[in-house]
Amino acid sequence: MMRESIQLPIIDLTSPHPISTARAIRQACVDVGFFYLINHGVDEKLFKKVLEQSKKFFSLPLEDKMKLVRRNHRGYTPLYAEKLDTSSTTQGDSKESFYIGSLEGKSVVSNLNQWPEEGIRLISLIALALDLDKDFFHKAGACDSPNGFLRLLHYPGELQLSEQVVYGASAHSDYGMLTLLATDGVGGLQVCREKFNRPQIWEDVRHLSGAFIVNIGDMMERWTNCLFRSTLHRVMPTGQERYSMAFFLDPNPDCVVECLKSCCSDSSPPRFPPIRAGEYLEERLKVTYVS
Ligand SMILES: O=C(O)CCC(=O)C(=O)O
Ligand SMILES: [Fe+2]
């Protein structure tokens, strides 16, 4: 289908007006489930350093990278080993990745770095955006040792000579609360706002220098009974090598994610049963690996 660029809303984390920021976040989450986050406080130098280390790691021989192959959702996943669109019959995605996170039983709060900290600030604004107390998600247990992990991604960029498109990342929505994404500026990311419409319309997400691309995940969609959208997205092959990093902020594994009272009524009952965040995430992750 035709490709157009989407104009995503821009949210400034340094804005001194939390109520109007929350209102803008609400609009963004209801309309698209994606927005740019500027003045987020994560140092540009830190981002460049991580990118450099990521390039260094992915340029190692496969044999060396395989020594760190993924265990318990931490470590290296080689090319084509993961397929984010679990409904498709195509081969795995043309990307390799490296998952970084706290070790089992260790809290990310005890060693908070800049990304989770900004994510937690955003969660408070999201609570305000839902007309909830700003500590709502904290009180619900979601932010008490949240499950956060950073995924370094490398898309090699060689176009495949095949009948079918080999996606960098095939169509999917993210599983958790929030995702903060930074890229090296190479395009390819697209969103589909109406996942049930046929044909699906995919729109390019343009790079905005210095901004994170933030999106709502499925658990937040469940909490809000689909008021906030967990939007389908993918990475198209462009023929250009691409690096990105996604920080996934997920609730504490014991946190129960259930429809918020303000998001359901007699005429709009809860669409999803309550789930425990840890079990839900485990289930979703399990089915994305090709073998
Ligand atoms: O690399 C990107 O731009 C997007 C990655 C992504 O959507 C994901 O890892 O969930
Ligand atoms: Fe994603």
Side-chain angles (χ1 to χ4, degrees):
M1 240 354 249
M2 219 175 71
R3 290 169 49 173
E4 284 169 18
S5 278
I6 189 169
Q7 299 284 335
L8 295 180
I10 298 175
I11 305 293
D12 182 346
L13 207 51
T14 53
S15 154
H17 309 292
I19 298 298
S20 55
T21 307
R23 214 171 282 144
I25 290 178
R26 180 184 177 99
Q27 194 67 44
C29 295
V30 168
D31 288 347
V32 245
F34 267 77
F35 55 87
Y36 295 112
L37 187 72
I38 59 166
N39 296 321
H40 43 64
V42 176
D43 192 357
E44 180 77 20
K45 281 198 209 109
L46 175 68
F47 169 69
K48 292 229 164 85
K49 258 200 210 154
V50 180
L51 193 63
E52 237 170 69
Q53 294 301 321
S54 171
K55 288 184 180 179
K56 233 170 146 173
F57 173 74
F58 288 120
S59 67
L60 290 173
L62 181 62
E63 184 188 331
D64 291 353
K65 292 186 280 194
M66 288 306 280
K67 288 180 192 152
L68 297 170
V69 79
R70 176 181 44 87
R71 267 186 231 119
N72 285 332
H73 312 302
R74 302 287 182 262
Y76 177 67
T77 302
L79 274 174
Y80 310 120
E82 199 190 55
K83 193 168 69 175
L84 289 170
D85 181 355
T86 50
S87 69
S88 94
T89 53
T90 56
Q91 69 179 109
D93 296 343
S94 177
K95 66 165 155 45
E96 50 181 345
S97 64
F98 190 82
Y99 268 114
I100 303 168
S102 57
L103 297 170
E104 225 170 351
K106 291 253 168 68
S107 145
V108 279
V109 169
S110 60
N111 58 351
L112 262 193
N113 66 33
Q114 293 185 23
W115 291 54
E117 218 165 64
E118 300 316 316
I120 298 282
R121 269 173 71 194
L122 255 184
I123 289 291
S124 297
L125 284 166
I126 286 192
L128 287 180
L130 288 162
D131 296 322
L132 301 165
D133 188 78
K134 82 177 183 357
D135 294 329
F136 175 85
F137 291 105
H138 295 70
K139 287 186 186 142
C143 304
D144 177 17
S145 302
N147 191 2
F149 48 98
L150 182 68
R151 177 199 236 176
L152 306 176
L153 289 146
H154 174 225
Y155 303 85
E158 287 115 33
L159 289 174
Q160 303 274 321
L161 291 172
S162 111
E163 299 258 298
Q164 276 176 324
V165 185
V166 181
Y167 293 100
S170 47
H172 67 283
S173 52
D174 292 346
Y175 315 145
M177 280 197 290
L178 271 187
T179 307
L180 281 72
L181 176 78
T183 79
D184 62 358
V186 174
L189 179 66
Q190 295 186 330
V191 295
C192 170
R193 279 195 267 184
E194 300 297 339
K195 58 185 160 201
F196 299 116
N197 284 5
R198 292 292 179 276
Q200 286 181 328
I201 297 182
W202 289 90
E203 297 170 281
D204 288 320
V205 176
R206 257 176 303 174
H207 176 71
L208 180 64
S209 187
F212 283 138
I213 296 167
V214 178
N215 65 285
I216 292 292
D218 295 341
M219 292 197 217
M220 190 57 83
E221 187 176 75
R222 295 176 80 102
W223 250 316
T224 64
N225 215 17
C226 298
L227 175 70
F228 282 12
R229 290 160 171 246
S230 176
T231 301
L232 212 55
H233 54 284
R234 68 184 183 187
V235 178
M236 290 299 282
T238 61
Q240 244 183 308
E241 185 175 34
R242 180 177 189 270
Y243 292 87
S244 67
M245 49 193 94
F247 178 74
F248 300 98
L249 185 63
D250 298 338
N252 177 295
D254 290 325
C255 176
V256 175
V257 177
E258 59 186 332
C259 181
L260 297 168
K261 285 201 179 70
S262 58
C263 294
C264 59
S265 62
D266 287 344
S267 57
S268 170
R271 298 187 199 194
F272 311 100
I275 40 129
R276 273 188 62 247
E279 281 157 26
Y280 179 78
L281 185 66
E282 195 60 38
E283 203 46 48
R284 294 291 301 272
L285 283 168
K286 211 165 64 191
V287 293
T288 62
Y289 295 102
V290 172
S291 56

